[in-house]
Amino acid sequence: MTLAQLAEHFQQRELGPSNGRIAHSTKKTYQGYLRKWIVPRWGDYLLPNIKAVEVELWLKHLERAAGTCCKIRNVMSVLFNHARRYDLYDRNPIQWVRQSAKRRSSPDVLTSDEVRQLLAALEPRERIMVLLDVARDCDRANFSLSSGRTSISAINNSGSLARSCSRSWGAAKRRLHRNPCRFTII
């Protein structure tokens, strides 16, 4: 059996509309990874010919974020677990693939001046969109409005992102807490 045949079997059994165990968004995500990454590269391989070291090297050379490579690896592992469950193959070589999801570098944290300049340069509608994005989970700031750590006041048109760092990023986190990002909504 080839990996493409296994992927087709998996999609029919697990990603169909009748399977309520898997969320619709997860099904779409799995289908996307299968279609874009996994089947084009590994589809013609017979299952016994897929080796952990080869998959690991392939993932290492993909020009994608570590988290994306980790998700590709995880979908491949789910495929092989599916094969084992249906007695289509007796092992999962992907379990031996080493792939970290750790960021390669710390995200760039916006300074209070950068936030002020950004907000001042925008029209009101766009300003609100950026403010919500920064407060929600923007890559440059990675803040979280829903966590209750961000203070945005519509009454006095001000906000504080002083305690909004949601992950430990070493120096970036310390810099954010030393210089809290306070701003006025214009």
Side-chain angles (χ1 to χ4, degrees), residues 19-130:
N19 184 356
R21 260 185 357 92
I22 300 175
H24 177 73
S25 59
T26 302
K27 291 176 187 179
K28 291 295 181 192
T29 301
Y30 282 7
Q31 289 169 343
Y33 282 115
L34 289 169
R35 179 181 32 81
K36 184 168 183 171
W37 297 104
I38 299 168
V39 173
R41 173 60 176 89
W42 301 99
D44 294 335
Y45 279 68
L46 294 173
L47 298 183
N49 295 340
I50 297 175
K51 306 296 181 196
V53 174
E54 289 181 53
V55 174
E56 191 173 307
L57 287 172
W58 169 65
L59 290 171
K60 183 179 179 180
H61 289 98
L62 285 180
E63 294 182 7
R64 295 288 167 228
T68 300
C69 292
C70 190
K71 289 171 189 163
I72 293 169
R73 178 220 173 270
N74 291 345
V75 173
M76 288 186 77
S77 185
V78 167
L79 270 180
F80 276 95
N81 285 339
H82 174 82
R84 292 178 71 189
R85 192 169 33 257
Y86 281 88
D87 290 325
L88 302 172
Y89 194 56
D90 62 349
R91 61 189 189 90
N92 182 350
I94 308 304
Q95 72 183 358
W96 306 114
V97 174
R98 298 173 298 183
Q99 176 60 52
S100 173
K102 187 177 179 181
R103 291 176 185 259
R104 292 187 181 118
S105 62
S106 295
D108 187 13
V109 179
L110 291 171
T111 66
S112 57
D113 287 338
E114 288 173 324
V115 172
R116 280 190 204 100
Q117 289 173 7
L118 178 63
L119 293 173
L122 298 172
E123 297 296 322
R125 184 181 66 150
E126 288 77 13
R127 187 178 309 135
I128 291 170
M129 290 168 50
V130 168

Side-chain angles (χ1 to χ4, degrees), residues 152-158 185:
I152 297 177
S153 171
I155 297 169
N156 60 10
N157 294 332
S158 67
I185 303 170

